[in-house]
Amino acid sequence: MAKRTQAILLLLLAISLIMSSSHVDGGGIAIYWGQNGNEGTLTQTCSTRKYSYVNIAFLNKFGNGQTPQINLAGHCNPAAGGCTIVSNGIRSCQIQGIKVMLSLGGGIGSYTLASQADAKNVADYLWNNFLGGKSSSRPLGDAVLDGIDFDIEHGSTLYWDDLARYLSAYSKQGKKVYLTAAPQCPFPDRYLGTALNTGLFDYVWVQFYNNPPCQYSSGNINNIINSWNRWTTSINAGKIFLGLPAAPEAAGSGYVPPDVLISRILPEIKKSPKYGGVMLWSKFYDDKNGYSSSILDSVLFLHSEKCMTL
């Protein structure tokens, strides 16, 4: 009996090691949270254990002398100091090893950079109000975010590279400031192309939707794969993610059915050493469609071996 028990334990250990090794350098799921009050709290989002990265969306007013303003839709009212409670969620996520970024921009808002000096002012504001600096008016409370996400979709096409350099320089003061970005899939991105050329970005989740020339369409994966290959071989970034809508209604076009992603697209994009995983827009739509639950195992593991069960 003792030998049989020992053999079973050794087999379980071997299976565990196989599963661990197949996960090495695998991927994760990034999610955007903040634009629908019906998507649950940040704490609830991270407690699902489905996401490795959370982008808080959005700081959608800043630059050119404007008073910066965060918009978290139905979650809280920052004007009345009502969003400081989000600090509890940020810390809860970070304790679980989940990186939390503040996303700048979005599709709607008043944001721009007027000059290099303006970029420095915005960087200083972000450092003091969301990162490791100090301010009496931190909109999300005293929790220190892991970094800043650039989701720049209109306004100025200039000085985003300066903003990236200024933010990155703050890493020298202790905790690393992660830089992430969500460019549109047409290459190079009109707004973020120069910033991405700095080589300072850790994670780039390219939006492969609402852009027919470089997205999935009616069974055709050629455009999305060709665009993915161009991105992964053209920019100097830590990891590249496949950005997708989490439900058909989450975007105007570009939705990829989970079975197509798992069987046809992931096997191709995982060939790149820059594969980082999948980004989804957004938590609200993911809740409605269950997209992340359908793809999670396939995103996490680099290989598709099935482990035996006892």
Side-chain angles (χ1 to χ4, degrees), residues 119-120 123-124 127 131-132 148 150 161-179 198 200-202:
K120 179 65 166 66
D124 291 345
W127 169 255
L131 299 169
I148 301 296
F150 290 50
D161 55 330
D162 294 305
L163 180 60
R165 291 188 188 95
Y166 289 132
L167 287 169
S168 180
Y170 276 118
S171 294
K172 299 174 183 176
Q173 298 195 24
K175 182 179 178 180
K176 174 178 170 60
V177 176
Y178 285 85
L179 296 183
T198 64
L200 297 173
F201 285 79
D202 301 282

Side-chain angles (χ1 to χ4, degrees), residues 232-285:
T232 54
T233 57
S234 300
I235 65 168
N236 179 18
K239 293 291 182 181
I240 312 294
F241 291 66
L242 191 80
L244 299 173
E249 61 270 31
S253 60
Y255 177 73
V256 179
D259 61 318
V260 174
L261 179 69
I262 292 169
S263 64
R264 300 180 62 195
I265 296 178
L266 284 177
E268 291 298 318
I269 69 174
K270 285 180 179 181
K271 294 175 182 177
S272 169
K274 289 188 178 179
Y275 168 75
V278 170
M279 174 274 280
L280 296 176
W281 175 268
S282 61
K283 173 60 165 52
F284 173 73
Y285 291 107

Side-chain angles (χ1 to χ4, degrees), residues 11-78:
L11 181 58
L12 288 171
L13 177 61
I15 292 172
S16 175
L17 289 172
I18 290 171
M19 292 182 68
S20 297
S21 64
S22 66
H23 187 266
V24 172
D25 293 328
I29 296 178
I31 196 77
Y32 277 83
W33 173 91
Q35 285 300 291
N36 194 299
N38 296 316
E39 63 192 347
T41 66
L42 188 56
T43 297
Q44 291 167 337
T45 296
C46 289
S47 68
T48 66
R49 305 306 296 265
K50 294 187 293 189
Y51 313 115
S52 299
Y53 315 88
V54 178
N55 296 310
I56 297 177
F58 292 104
L59 186 78
N60 67 345
K61 182 179 180 180
F62 62 87
N64 199 26
Q66 300 179 96
T67 300
Q69 184 174 308
I70 193 169
N71 178 344
L72 295 185
H75 286 284
C76 54
N77 181 6

Side-chain angles (χ1 to χ4, degrees), residues 24-232:
V24 172
D25 293 328
I29 296 178
I31 196 77
Y32 277 83
W33 173 91
Q35 285 300 291
N36 194 299
N38 296 316
E39 63 192 347
T41 66
L42 188 56
T43 297
Q44 291 167 337
T45 296
C46 289
S47 68
T48 66
R49 305 306 296 265
K50 294 187 293 189
Y51 313 115
S52 299
Y53 315 88
V54 178
N55 296 310
I56 297 177
F58 292 104
L59 186 78
N60 67 345
K61 182 179 180 180
F62 62 87
N64 199 26
Q66 300 179 96
T67 300
Q69 184 174 308
I70 193 169
N71 178 344
L72 295 185
H75 286 284
C76 54
N77 181 6
C83 294
T84 56
I85 193 173
V86 176
S87 267
N88 295 333
I90 295 169
R91 282 189 285 264
S92 175
C93 295
Q94 292 171 332
I95 287 172
Q96 299 173 68
I98 299 166
K99 290 182 174 61
V100 186
M101 274 67 69
L102 173 67
S103 188
L104 309 180
I108 300 173
S110 173
Y111 57 86
T112 190
L113 293 177
S115 65
Q116 190 175 45
D118 193 25
K120 179 65 166 66
N121 289 337
V122 171
D124 291 345
Y125 169 81
L126 293 171
W127 169 255
N128 288 321
N129 286 275
F130 297 99
L131 299 169
K134 295 187 181 301
S135 169
S136 60
S137 60
R138 291 174 68 95
L140 301 181
D142 59 358
V144 177
L145 290 167
D146 293 290
I148 301 296
D149 176 59
F150 290 50
D151 182 14
I152 308 305
E153 301 186 24
H154 61 77
S156 171
T157 61
L158 303 175
Y159 311 114
W160 300 109
D161 55 330
D162 294 305
L163 180 60
R165 291 188 188 95
Y166 289 132
L167 287 169
S168 180
Y170 276 118
S171 294
K172 299 174 183 176
Q173 298 195 24
K175 182 179 178 180
K176 174 178 170 60
V177 176
Y178 285 85
L179 296 183
T180 70
Q184 305 289 313
C185 56
F187 188 90
D189 183 85
R190 178 184 177 190
Y191 298 99
L192 293 173
T194 304
L196 292 171
N197 285 339
T198 64
L200 297 173
F201 285 79
D202 301 282
Y203 310 118
V204 177
W205 11 82
V206 183
Q207 298 184 51
F208 291 97
Y209 52 94
N210 293 333
N211 288 289
C214 48
Q215 69 185 31
Y216 170 81
S217 177
S218 303
N220 186 347
I221 68 168
N222 292 333
N223 288 346
I224 194 170
I225 295 300
N226 289 339
S227 181
W228 167 268
N229 289 337
R230 175 136 194 217
W231 277 97
T232 54

